[in-house]
Amino acid sequence: MLNIAIIGAGRIGQVHAKTVASHPGARLVLVCDPVGDAAQNLATQYGARSCQEAEEVFADAEVDAVVVGSPTPLHIPHLLAAAKAGKAVLCEKPIALDMADVKAAQAELDAITTPVMFGFNRRFDPSFAAVHAAVQDGHIGALEQLTIISRDPAAPPVEYIKVSGGIFRDMTIHDFDMARFFLGEITQVHAVGQNLDPAIKATGDFDAAVVTLKAASGAVATIINNRHCASGYDQRLEASGSAGALFAENIRATTVRLSNAQVTDAQEPYLDFFLERYADAYRLELSAFIESVEQGRPTPTTTADAIAALALAEAATESARTGQPVQLD
C-alpha cells in the first residue's frame, strides 16, 4: 500500500484525489494547498489529513509518494524537494513554463534517484494505448502519418489563460507527448496559431492551432487543437501506415443510436470533458506509477519526456509567432 500526498487541491488535484482514494494499492494520507480551506475540504472527502505548506508534505514520514499538482512554476521546486526527501513523485505537466528554468535545475534533476513520473495520462487511455500497441506490433506496416485532434468544449477563463504559458504549453503539451510516443525523435516543428476569440487574443495567446511535426523516421504528425468546440470534447487519433490505418474515435456514454424522421444514426454527445473522458487513463496512469515504485522498475514517462515535450511547445510557440518552421537539435 503506497501512502500518497497531493500538492494542489484545485481541479487536477481533485481528479488525483479521487483516483488515489479509489485505488486498491494506494492510500490518500495528506492534501496540501495554501489557499483558504481548499486542502481541508478535499482531504475531508477522503478521510485524509491536510496542510497548507508544502514543506510539511516533504517532512511527513507517513508519505511515500507525492502527486505534484501545484501551479506550473512550482513543479520543479516541489518535485526536487519531494525527491530529496526520498519520496517518489508523480508530477503534472508541463515540467515548467520556460526551458530556462529546466536548464537552471538540470544538474539537480539529473541527480534524482527516487522514481519520478510525469502525468502524460493520454498514453494510458485504453483506446490510444491499443492503437499504439497495434502500431508497435506492425499491424499497419511502417507508420507514415499520425493525426491527433484535441478540441475542448469551451475555453478556460481568460485569467487562467494569462498565466497558463500559452496554448502550446498548456493544451498541446499532451499531444506533443503523444506524437513522440508514436513517432520517436522529432526534428522539425511548424505551427500555425489562430485568433478566433478577441478576449484570448488580447492575452497574447492563440485559442486554436494546427501543428505539423516531422520525425527523424520521415513520418509526420499533424496536431489540430481548438479551445472551443460546438459538439463537445473532441478527442480523436488516426495512425496511417504503409499497410493500413488505425482509428480511435470519440467516446460516448453509450453506443445507442437513434434514427427517425428527423435524424439518422443520431448519438449521445461526447463525454463532457477530460475528467470523464480520461477517467480510465488517470486510473491506469496511477497503477503504472504504483507498480514502478513498488517493483523498482523505470517509470513509463520520465523527466526526459517532460523536457522533450516542453522543447516542442517552445518550438511551436516560436514557429507560430514567426510563421517559419523550427529545426530541433
Side-chain angles (χ1 to χ4, degrees), residues 1-4 19-28 286 290 294:
M1 183 69 69
L2 198 68
N3 289 336
I4 297 179
T19 303
V20 170
S22 62
H23 196 287
R27 187 165 71 100
L28 182 62
L286 180 65
I290 292 171
E294 293 185 339

Side-chain angles (χ1 to χ4, degrees), residues 129-190:
V131 172
H132 182 265
V135 171
Q136 294 297 106
D137 290 342
H139 291 310
I140 61 169
L143 181 60
E144 298 174 344
Q145 296 175 325
L146 179 73
T147 303
I148 303 169
I149 296 173
S150 179
R151 299 183 177 107
D152 287 351
V158 168
E159 293 306 312
Y160 170 82
I161 289 176
K162 288 179 181 178
V163 299
S164 69
I167 190 171
F168 299 114
R169 292 176 181 84
D170 175 51
M171 184 176 179
T172 324
I173 197 82
H174 279 294
D175 306 315
F176 289 139
D177 181 70
M178 285 297 292
R180 291 188 63 253
F181 187 43
F182 276 85
L183 302 184
E185 180 187 0
I186 304 298
T187 59
Q188 185 186 86
V189 180
H190 192 187

Side-chain angles (χ1 to χ4, degrees), residues 262-284:
Q262 287 74 45
V263 296
T264 301
D265 281 346
Q267 295 179 266
E268 293 179 278
Y270 309 146
L271 291 182
D272 187 48
F273 201 21
F274 76 95
L275 303 178
E276 295 80 15
R277 170 63 181 80
Y278 290 112
D280 285 341
Y282 282 110
R283 176 179 55 81
L284 293 168

Side-chain angles (χ1 to χ4, degrees), residues 12-219:
I12 195 63
Q14 293 172 35
V15 172
H16 284 298
K18 181 178 181 180
T19 303
V20 170
S22 62
H23 196 287
R27 187 165 71 100
L28 182 62
V29 297
L30 186 61
V31 178
C32 177
D33 196 295
V35 179
D37 55 3
Q40 182 179 353
N41 289 342
L42 183 57
T44 299
Q45 292 182 46
Y46 300 105
R49 295 180 286 113
S50 66
C51 66
Q52 292 187 307
E53 299 297 331
E55 289 71 20
E56 295 184 44
V57 174
F58 311 135
D60 196 307
E62 188 181 23
V63 173
D64 302 316
V66 179
V67 175
V68 176
S70 46
T72 301
L74 295 174
H75 285 180
I76 290 178
H78 283 169
L79 79 85
L80 286 174
K84 289 175 182 177
K87 304 181 189 306
V89 179
L90 174 58
C91 185
E92 270 303 323
K93 54 76 197 166
I95 187 172
L97 290 179
D98 195 311
M99 191 62 74
D101 294 332
V102 176
K103 292 179 179 179
Q106 190 69 66
E108 290 181 281
L109 292 170
D110 291 343
I112 292 175
T113 57
T114 56
V116 175
M117 179 170 159
F118 272 81
F120 292 114
N121 66 293
R122 295 183 190 181
R123 292 194 186 200
F124 303 94
D125 174 74
S127 295
F128 296 165
V131 172
H132 182 265
V135 171
Q136 294 297 106
D137 290 342
H139 291 310
I140 61 169
L143 181 60
E144 298 174 344
Q145 296 175 325
L146 179 73
T147 303
I148 303 169
I149 296 173
S150 179
R151 299 183 177 107
D152 287 351
V158 168
E159 293 306 312
Y160 170 82
I161 289 176
K162 288 179 181 178
V163 299
S164 69
I167 190 171
F168 299 114
R169 292 176 181 84
D170 175 51
M171 184 176 179
T172 324
I173 197 82
H174 279 294
D175 306 315
F176 289 139
D177 181 70
M178 285 297 292
R180 291 188 63 253
F181 187 43
F182 276 85
L183 302 184
E185 180 187 0
I186 304 298
T187 59
Q188 185 186 86
V189 180
H190 192 187
V192 176
Q194 294 176 271
N195 288 119
L196 308 173
D197 184 334
I200 294 177
K201 181 178 181 179
T203 70
D205 193 15
F206 303 106
D207 48 302
V210 177
V211 185
T212 303
L213 307 175
K214 184 176 181 180
S217 66

